[in-house]
DNA sequence: CCGAACTTTGACCTCAGAGTCAAGAGATGA
DNA sequence: TCATCTCTTGACTCTGAGGTCAAAGTTCGG
């Protein structure tokens, strides 16, 4: 029974992983359950044994992906708790960019959730974003409070950072490995400028 | 005969405008020709008299929207040719954000063109983006050459700017008019930081 | 090895939305 | 006014993809 449960969880995990892949590549509208099923070498019907429908599967994919992403950033921030603020923020930016480019190149599309989705689902996704946002917000506001950073508006700064990071894959995933690393470094350094003290 | 031609052109213009509206709101996949037709008070069939299909109409819409957008920015840059470089760039950023937020809130979705499209169409769209990019690139590189701006990397800087501007609608189109204007101002000012001379 | 619980299948239903077309309605010009 | 060209319609087909389900297959505990 517990054996069964674990097996089921594993199955769900795999389905969600495949779904995250497909939705991440194609975006919500253009993704088909048929394709998700194909990548798992099963048939569409079997997905419905685990998930009520496309929306639910997509939500699960978004949540899994988002949680994983956030946790890794949180862990990184903890690990660098003693580093200078600027360096910690730089590391966070760099890591975020790397995850976006190397692992979830189409997360942007995935997170463009249709307006038609039930409010509850959209709400859960918003929460996820908020938690994710908080990792960076904490750094920025603390830096500002300490007088090390200066920003026009915390919100605008964070939005700009997130936008740039999430679109990074669009322009640097086609680069060769070396140029890509350089581009990611450049972007992280560039984004640091957003909080640098003026003058 | 010429009368007929002009009438036809006008008709095409209107259709493309309506299509740009719909595709701009919903993105490619979620848009339907039915809805485009509805906004023109005609029926779907009539669209096929002017366009071969959805792809072609979407391409025309993207081109029109992109050209209009670019031309307005170019005109703005010309109009401020004598203004200080920083102010000209600020005006461009602000205008770009305003167009994105107020007129084409889902342009981001629209430009995420399906990979399945013919290469020729994708190529034309890439050209459009290049021309658009050039408006900002010119300002930034000139400013750097003049020693007024400093950047880590022109590419990274432009990418960050474009990303932030194109995602602006996602977070400020739901705001009330006043707060929205403030948010757009803040974002423009924030992005200026990306080129500000350091120290 | 059996029966029960769990899982997968594939045929099927449904429906939205792309695309077609014959027929008719409107212009245009002689 | 007639003939022709231009345009619009609405009913039609077709396809793809979401969703359902009874039946068959598989795994597990005893």
């Amino acid at each position: 029974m517990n054996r069964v449960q674990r097996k089921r969880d594993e199955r769900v995990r795999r389905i969600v992983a495949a779904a995250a892949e497909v939705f991440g590549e194609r975006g919500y509208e253009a993704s088909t359950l048929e394709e998700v099923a194909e990548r798992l070498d099963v048939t569409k019907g079997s997905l419905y044994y685990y998930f009520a429908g496309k929306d639910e599967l997509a939500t699960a994919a978004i949540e899994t992906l988002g949680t994983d992403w956030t946790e890794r950033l949180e862990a990184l921030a903890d690990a660098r708790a003693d580093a200078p603020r600027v360096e910690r923020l730089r590391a966070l930016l760099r890591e975020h960019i790397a995850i976006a480019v190397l692992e979830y190149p189409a997360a942007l599309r995935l997170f463009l959730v249709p307006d038609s989705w039930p409010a509850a689902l959209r709400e859960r996704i918003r929460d996820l974003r908020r938690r994710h946002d908080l990792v960076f917000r904490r750094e920025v506001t603390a830096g500002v409070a300490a007088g090390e950073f200066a920003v026009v508006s915390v919100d605008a700064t964070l939005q700009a950072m997130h936008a740039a990071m999430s679109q990074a894959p669009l322009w640097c995933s086609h680069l060769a490995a070396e140029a890509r690393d350089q581009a990611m470094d450049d972007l992280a350094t560039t984004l640091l400028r957003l909080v640098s003290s003026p003058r």
Side-chain angles (χ1 to χ4, degrees), chain A residues 52-120:
Chain A
K54 191 181 182 182
D55 289 7
E56 201 177 284
L57 183 50
T59 307
I62 289 172
E63 286 198 336
T64 299
L65 189 155
T67 304
D68 167 59
W69 197 324
T70 305
E71 280 170 359
R72 284 164 67 180
L73 292 177
E74 285 168 345
L76 180 63
D78 285 348
R80 309 255 176 144
D82 301 328
R85 233 184 277 282
V86 186
E87 289 314 314
R88 189 163 59 243
L89 181 53
R90 180 200 297 279
L92 284 173
L93 293 169
R94 187 59 173 77
E95 179 69 5
H96 191 298
I97 295 165
I99 294 176
V101 171
L102 304 176
E103 297 179 52
Y104 302 122
L108 177 61
R109 282 187 187 182
L110 180 54
F111 280 88
L112 288 175
V113 176
D115 294 342
S116 56
W117 279 26

Side-chain angles (χ1 to χ4, degrees), chain A residues 94 97 171-172 175 178-188:
Chain A
R94 187 59 173 77
I97 295 165
W171 59 285
C172 65
L175 297 172
E178 212 166 308
R180 199 175 50 207
D181 284 350
Q182 181 63 48
M184 295 195 289
D185 284 339
D186 286 350
L187 184 56

Side-chain angles (χ1 to χ4, degrees), chain A residues 108-147:
Chain A
L108 177 61
R109 282 187 187 182
L110 180 54
F111 280 88
L112 288 175
V113 176
D115 294 342
S116 56
W117 279 26
L121 295 192
R122 296 175 63 81
E123 191 54 43
R124 263 156 73 202
I125 291 166
R126 264 239 314 268
D127 286 343
L128 198 62
R129 292 188 115 131
R130 217 173 286 136
R131 183 176 158 207
H132 188 264
D133 174 78
L134 205 58
V135 180
F136 287 90
R137 186 173 294 268
R138 226 190 319 257
E139 294 300 325
V140 171
T141 52
V144 169

